[in-house]
Amino acid sequence: QVQLVESGGGLVQPGGSLRLSCVASGFTFSGYGMVWYRQAPGKQRELAAGITSNFRPYYADFVKGRFYISRDNAKNTVYLQMNNLKPEDTAGYYCNTPEPLNSWGQGTQVTVFS
C-alpha cells in the first residue's frame, strides 16, 4: 500500500524559511518522480515543484529561485526547502507520486503572516 506522509509545515513570517519532508512507503521510491503541490483556500491545487527519478528538478515560475526540491532515496524522502516565504505562499502543501501510482499525502499547512 502506497503511503506518503508530509511534515514540516508551520507558521512563519515573511522572508522566513521552512523545510517540508515527505516520507514514502509501499513502492520502490527510487524508481518514481515526486511532486509537491499546494492549494490555497478557494483556489485550485497547483504544482509547486517536482523531481524526476534521476534527480532532475523542475519548478513553477512562482517559486523559482526561492524553493528547492531534493530527494534522498536511502530515506525514501523528498524535501521542499522554501526560502524567502511570502504571504501568498500560504497553502496546504501535498506530496504526490505521479501516474501510474497517483498517490497523495494528507498535506501539511504552511502559513506566512506578518
Side-chain angles (χ1 to χ4, degrees):
Q1 180 181 356
V2 176
Q3 188 172 18
L4 302 173
V5 180
E6 302 98 330
S7 62
L11 302 175
V12 64
Q13 292 185 329
S17 297
L18 286 173
R19 188 176 81 154
L20 307 183
S21 299
C22 171
V23 179
S25 60
F27 64 104
T28 305
F29 179 77
S30 61
Y32 290 85
M34 298 295 296
V35 183
W36 282 99
Y37 284 82
R38 71 183 191 183
Q39 187 169 20
K43 295 188 177 181
Q44 288 189 331
R45 191 168 292 189
E46 58 186 0
L47 185 148
I51 187 166
T52 67
S53 59
N54 58 1
F55 295 84
R56 184 175 63 85
Y58 50 96
Y59 301 96
D61 286 343
F62 54 80
V63 304
K64 280 182 180 178
R66 300 189 300 124
F67 290 13
Y68 299 94
I69 189 170
S70 61
R71 63 189 298 159
D72 184 339
N73 287 349
K75 296 182 178 180
N76 284 4
T77 301
V78 60
Y79 303 98
L80 186 65
Q81 177 67 43
M82 305 187 296
N83 301 325
N84 191 22
L85 283 160
K86 305 175 180 180
E88 52 264 42
D89 294 319
T90 294
Y93 283 74
Y94 299 86
C95 183
N96 168 261
T97 55
E99 295 287 355
L101 294 179
N102 194 25
S103 293
W104 294 88
Q106 83 289 347
T108 186
Q109 179 67 32
V110 172
T111 303
V112 185
F113 71 105
S114 298

